[in-house]
Amino acid sequence: MSPLLLSSHDKESEREGVRLIQNSFDEKTQKHLLKAGLKEGMECLEVGVGSGSILLWIKEQLGSSGSVVGIDIDRSYFTDEDPSLIEGDLSELEIGQKFDLIHLRYVLIHNQKAQAILAKLSTLLKPHGKLIIEEADFTLAKWMDTKYDDACKRVNSAICKMFENRGLKPHYGSIVHLGLEEAGFEIDESRSYLHLCSGQEDTAMLMASSSEALAQEYIDTKLCSQEDIDKYISACEDPESLAVYYATIAITASKREEAAGRAEDEIQEDGFYLAVSDAQIEKCYELMSLLRPHLDQKSYLSMVKEQMQAGYTIVYLAEEGRVISLAGYRISQNLAWGKHMYVDDFVSLETHRSRGKGKLLLTHLVELARKEGCSQLHLDSGVQRFKAHRFYLREGFKISSHHFSMEL
């Protein structure tokens, strides 16, 4: 778990950040978990363990009849040699267990694969299980005294821009409910906390520590100066200052009834799915190979998972137990197009191309792109694919450039 902001590559600063988060928010997290139904005998999953304060607290609540598994990309913050702590990327791990309750805090805001993680969590939750998510929104920051106001606003703008430059959303906490609904969850409860505090309080010192460690990245956004950062840190350390540094949105969700009946490796109902598990990715091979006949089935899975590390996602449309249409896409940002969705792969079964399934998939992609804050959708199509060209032009695309390539 990163200490709320992006990794500073300074382990001591990050450990201090984790400690400050625990001090400022553990009590609220514990209340959310108890209200969601945490009790003895449950099987629980803690994602983003950090130094383990919540993991160990959950273990105490469960007693000897329950169990908790922890997952973290880096277990070095957690000194306990607990065998139930797994080090790795949740989206890649094969976990055979199902859980009554799953908890994440400040995990998804740092991850470009947030939606794929939510889809994976849906497969790990038992029917009627509970998912508790706590995520931040940095766009809600506000300073109450004019002494630091302008400089702090500039630094906060730089913080938000840094997230955006990395393909992340500084306001993720305020839109996480959209991702949950797309992944098949219903919102049971949603609460927001504006972290209003004086300087020297834990939240303020967390932001001071992060700003000191990440100062150059803030400056690189061109939205603030070193002088602004110095004033921001002074505000964090001044007991007379008062500010909202960020907000936390806490959501308790459960799987929709129809989603609760889906098995991870089976397609039981018609609709759109994200290919998250190995089984789901492999189900897409037959159709993907029609578009990419050079693909070797043995290496296909590893190739897709490697691309997923760079933000690649496969969404597919299932009908009568079969994948009939799919698209592989990436959310990206560049100087030419700003934030956009780029569609690498788009294909439907030949027998379904005249039945509006391609249009249905394209409409779904447009909705996904808009939810991600994209202003454009782009794709390339081989010069020989005349039927595809007619479809894209009919659906509102325009030929905006030539694509050149060179064999190396």
Side-chain angles (χ1 to χ4, degrees), residues 20-254:
L20 290 168
I21 289 174
Q22 291 174 178
N23 290 349
S24 63
F25 211 73
D26 270 10
E27 186 177 346
K28 292 184 177 66
T29 294
Q30 292 166 8
K31 289 180 179 178
H32 295 151
L33 293 172
L34 291 172
K35 190 171 183 180
L38 179 69
K39 60 184 178 182
E40 283 191 36
M42 278 188 164
E43 294 178 287
C44 299
L45 174 64
E46 174 74 4
V47 182
V49 171
S51 61
S53 62
I54 292 299
L55 177 75
L56 297 174
W57 179 83
I58 290 175
K59 185 178 292 187
E60 291 178 2
Q61 310 310 306
L62 299 177
S64 59
S65 59
S67 65
V68 58
V69 174
I71 295 176
D72 204 302
I73 198 76
D74 181 1
R75 67 173 294 160
S76 64
Y77 302 109
F78 188 51
T79 56
D80 193 328
E81 293 299 323
D82 192 329
S84 64
L85 177 59
I86 303 169
E87 184 174 72
D89 185 332
L90 173 65
S91 63
E92 295 182 355
L93 293 171
E94 289 298 323
I95 302 169
Q97 186 178 354
K98 303 284 187 180
F99 300 95
D100 299 294
L101 185 147
I102 300 174
H103 173 249
L104 304 84
R105 183 171 69 187
Y106 306 144
V107 171
L108 300 177
I109 192 171
H110 297 290
N111 204 308
Q112 293 180 345
K113 298 181 289 183
Q115 194 56 40
I117 290 173
L118 288 176
K120 180 71 172 282
L121 292 175
S122 178
T123 69
L124 297 176
L125 201 62
K126 294 180 182 180
H128 312 298
K130 298 294 182 181
L131 175 66
I132 296 89
I133 291 181
E134 297 164 318
E135 292 292 350
D137 184 339
F138 287 95
T139 65
L140 298 176
K142 184 177 179 62
W143 283 265
M144 309 306 169
D145 48 298
T146 57
K147 181 179 179 180
Y148 303 106
D149 187 53
D150 291 340
C152 289
K153 284 180 178 177
R154 286 192 288 270
V155 172
N156 193 71
S157 295
I159 292 172
C160 294
K161 184 63 175 177
M162 184 179 65
F163 273 88
E164 292 170 356
N165 288 345
R166 293 174 179 252
L168 302 169
K169 302 178 180 65
H171 59 294
Y172 185 79
S174 293
I175 61 169
V176 64
H177 64 285
L178 299 176
L180 285 165
E181 290 166 359
E182 182 182 327
F185 289 95
E186 289 182 340
I187 309 301
D188 298 327
E189 182 181 53
S190 178
R191 301 193 67 178
S192 60
Y193 299 90
L194 291 175
H195 296 282
L196 176 65
C197 65
S198 301
Q200 296 189 4
E201 291 187 33
D202 290 326
T203 297
M205 296 311 295
L206 166 66
M207 300 308 295
S209 176
S210 296
S211 297
E212 186 173 7
L214 298 168
Q216 189 56 53
E217 293 194 54
Y218 294 176
I219 293 169
D220 289 344
T221 67
K222 310 296 185 185
L223 295 177
C224 73
S225 65
Q226 183 62 56
E227 183 180 359
D228 291 328
I229 294 170
D230 291 341
K231 288 184 178 179
Y232 183 94
I233 293 173
S234 295
C236 295
E237 296 174 344
D238 184 352
E240 299 299 319
S241 73
L242 188 64
V244 173
Y245 288 92
Y246 63 93
T248 295
I249 291 80
I251 293 178
T252 301
S254 54

Side-chain angles (χ1 to χ4, degrees), residues 346 348 353 356-363 379 385-397:
F346 190 97
S348 299
R353 289 177 187 169
K357 303 305 179 182
K359 180 179 177 65
L360 192 62
L361 177 60
L362 182 59
T363 299
L379 57 80
R385 301 187 67 221
F386 302 114
K387 290 183 179 178
H389 301 166
R390 287 197 293 270
F391 168 74
Y392 296 135
L393 291 169
R394 187 172 68 244
E395 295 304 318
F397 284 85

